[in-house]
Amino acid sequence: MVTVGAVAGIALVALGLVLTPGPNMVYLVSRSVSQGRRAGLVSLLGVAAGFGVYLAAAVAGIATVFVLVPPLYTAVKLAGAAYLLWLAWRTLRPGGRSAFTPQELPVDRPRRLFAMGLLTNLLNPKIAILYVSLLPQFVDPARGDVAVQSLLLGGTQITVALTVNALIVLTAGSVSAFLVRRPGWARVQRWVTGSVLAAMAVRIAADRSRAAVATG
C-alpha cells in the first residue's frame, strides 16, 4: 500500500520536527520539570490525542479545506509563526528562562494536564503544516486507497513523535539538574532554543508553499 521509502521519509520528517524546539517540547519539558514525570506523561497523552485529531482530519480529507481556501491556510501559518516568535522572545528576553529551568507552576490535575497537552498540539504550527502540506506528498494515489495510506503514514509520524517525546519527558528532570549545576550550558541551551524558535517562525512566515492534497 505504501512504499518503504514513503514510510522512511515521513519518519525522518517526523524525527526532525520532534527534535526541533517547539510548543510541544516547551510544554512537556516545563511540566515534567515542575510537576514530575507522571504529569509529563499525562500531558503527553493529550499531545497524542492532538495527533489523533490531525490524523483523523487527514484521513477524512478535511485538510482539503485549506487547499480550497488558501487564505485560511495562510492565516494558520501566520498565527503559528507568531506563536513561535512569542515563545522565542519569552526564552531570549532579559531574564528569560529555559524550559529546563525549574520554576513554580500550579499543580494541575490530570484532566487539565491532558487538556493543555491536547490544546498545545492542536495549536502547534509545525504539526498543522506537517499534515496539511507535507504528509500528502508521501501519498501515491496509484498505490491504492488514499485514506489508508494517510492512516499508515500518519501512524508512523505519531509513533516517532510519541517515542521521542516520551524520552524527553523521562529525561527532563536529569537535564534540568545538569543545567542547574552548569549555568554556562544553561545559557547556551536557552539561546539555542530561542534562536531555533525564532528562525522557524521567520521561515514559516516567509514560506509561500500552498497546502497539498492527494486525490485519487
Side-chain angles (χ1 to χ4, degrees):
M1 181 65 70
V2 292
T3 66
V4 174
V7 172
I10 199 68
L12 287 175
V13 170
L15 182 61
L17 288 177
V18 75
L19 291 177
T20 303
N24 286 348
M25 182 185 291
V26 170
Y27 175 70
L28 291 173
V29 167
S30 60
R31 184 51 62 183
S32 300
V33 170
S34 65
Q35 199 172 331
R37 292 176 177 174
R38 182 174 180 274
L41 291 174
V42 173
S43 300
L44 181 57
L45 289 177
V47 170
F51 284 131
V53 171
Y54 275 114
L55 179 56
V59 171
I62 296 176
T64 58
V65 173
F66 290 98
V67 179
L68 300 174
V69 188
L72 180 59
Y73 179 58
T74 300
V76 170
K77 288 201 301 182
L78 292 179
Y83 183 41
L84 288 176
L85 198 59
W86 177 77
L87 288 175
W89 165 245
R90 194 176 66 172
T91 303
L92 294 173
R93 68 184 178 184
R97 291 186 174 190
S98 161
F100 288 97
T101 302
Q103 54 185 305
E104 291 295 330
L105 291 176
V107 176
D108 289 332
R109 296 178 179 274
R111 180 180 299 180
R112 179 171 173 78
L113 292 172
F114 180 90
M116 288 302 296
L118 171 62
L119 183 61
T120 298
N121 201 18
L122 291 179
L123 296 178
N124 188 342
K126 295 196 302 179
I127 306 306
I129 291 174
L130 169 65
Y131 276 89
V132 173
S133 283
L134 298 180
L135 187 143
Q137 297 179 26
F138 292 93
V139 175
D140 182 1
R143 300 191 65 85
D145 192 286
V146 169
V148 174
Q149 291 186 61
S150 297
L151 184 63
L152 292 174
L153 293 171
T156 300
Q157 178 271 323
I158 291 173
T159 299
V160 172
L162 293 185
T163 299
V164 175
N165 277 320
L167 291 175
I168 290 173
V169 167
L170 294 176
T171 59
S174 299
V175 173
S176 175
F178 173 85
L179 294 176
V180 167
R181 295 193 300 269
R182 296 167 176 81
W185 281 101
R187 285 192 295 272
V188 170
Q189 189 275 331
R190 183 166 65 90
W191 277 94
V192 169
T193 299
S195 298
V196 170
L197 288 170
M200 181 169 291
V202 173
R203 181 175 180 179
I204 289 176
D207 182 23
R208 296 183 179 274
S209 63
R210 298 181 178 180
V213 64
T215 57

